[in-house]
Amino acid sequence: MKSESRKEEIIRAASILFKEKGYSAVTMRDLAKAMGIKAASLYNHIDSKQEILSTIIIELAEEFTTGMNQIVNSKVDAIKKLENIIDLHIDVTLRNSDGLASLNNDWMHLEEKNLQYFEKMRQEYEENFRAIVKNGVDREEIKPFNIEIMVFSTLSTLRTLYLWYPKQKNIDAEILKHDMISVLLKGMV
Amino acid sequence: MKSESRKEEIIRAASILFKEKGYSAVTMRDLAKAMGIKAASLYNHIDSKQEILSTIIIELAEEFTTGMNQIVNSKVDAIKKLENIIDLHIDVTLRNSDGLASLNNDWMHLEEKNLQYFEKMRQEYEENFRAIVKNGVDREEIKPFNIEIMVFSTLSTLRTLYLWYPKQKNIDAEILKHDMISVLLKGMV
DNA sequence: ACACAAAACTAACAATTGTTAGTTTTATAC
DNA sequence: GTATAAAACTAACAATTGTTAGTTTTGTGT
């Protein structure tokens, strides 16, 4: 039997190290040292290095999938949906900005099965996003700019939040949400 | 004596592999196989794996630094400067999208000296960017949104271009520049 | 005090890593 | 066609990798 709480500590420590150097550059001995134990002791709590990575990434990906599905099925206009997506990203970033580094940069090191699962979720997420923007353009709620560029531009900013937000000292989450909506949706000129 | 052209071939091949799996996950044997030779043969052309990484990253960073300095010193308004920065990113991305993956994700694996040099260039780049936006807000050319958010949002999109643009088949560079300026500067609502 | 599980340890493994040394092949110049 | 340089090769190294086996220590409930 594995102690869930100790396992979670390991995964949290791993998230930080993976964020700093990437999955491949972090050794089990690095992780053990961060935990104050020997490498072999990690295996009392986890099955493999790969399990740590997949736990971090898949949990987060499922959070995004769940959140996006709720938004897609809600009966609000396209702008409001985009606002809710921005909220979703900010919420997840606040809760686990370290893990998001792995999701963004180390997903390709997932093994076969989880890699496919992840890529499917990511693709569906992007398609949902694109559909919302497209719908907004069709209903003339959103300006008729190039849809792919609007999707890419917004999503790349939201995906990179994990790098930027932890460094900001004096920005409250609610203010961030408000300002991010302004910048991303209203533009700056 | 080292053949420059063969060396460049190796660096180009390495850029592609680094983009796919990251610097740490690519072995010299992987790189050799991609070149159709044995790992030891690579060392007739390059000094170390580290040299490959630093060549890729430092060259690109210097391109950005040079480009930004020209823009900063030009006598145009803030909006035009931002447009020129967008152009700069698109030009560099078109020329070397593979290398940009290393610059974005593997800079932390640079050794001491080059790491410091890179971090200095990156910091100055961001400060120049921020100063341009701030100046634009002061002159009322740019809306008075949160400056940090505007800088982060724009820069994160431009930095992620390398992931997105190669997948777009039917977007001409000039059209991309135009549309990107619209989306980033004029907003979509 | 005793039993039992949780969590640490030591020691070691087979494979893989970047790199070097020394040698042979291939191409170029005269 | 011989000399020279460029570019490949084979073989090996010392270090590091993820992981396993087996053992000891620590903590908890009765």
Side-chain angles (χ1 to χ4, degrees), chain B residues 3 6 38 40-41 44-45:
Chain B
S3 154
R6 197 74 175 126
K38 298 288 176 181
S41 305
N44 285 320
H45 309 283

Side-chain angles (χ1 to χ4, degrees), chain A residues 87-98:
Chain A
D87 281 0
L88 172 62
H89 276 264
I90 291 174
D91 288 340
V92 174
T93 302
L94 283 172
R95 217 176 312 124
N96 189 1
S97 71
D98 297 321

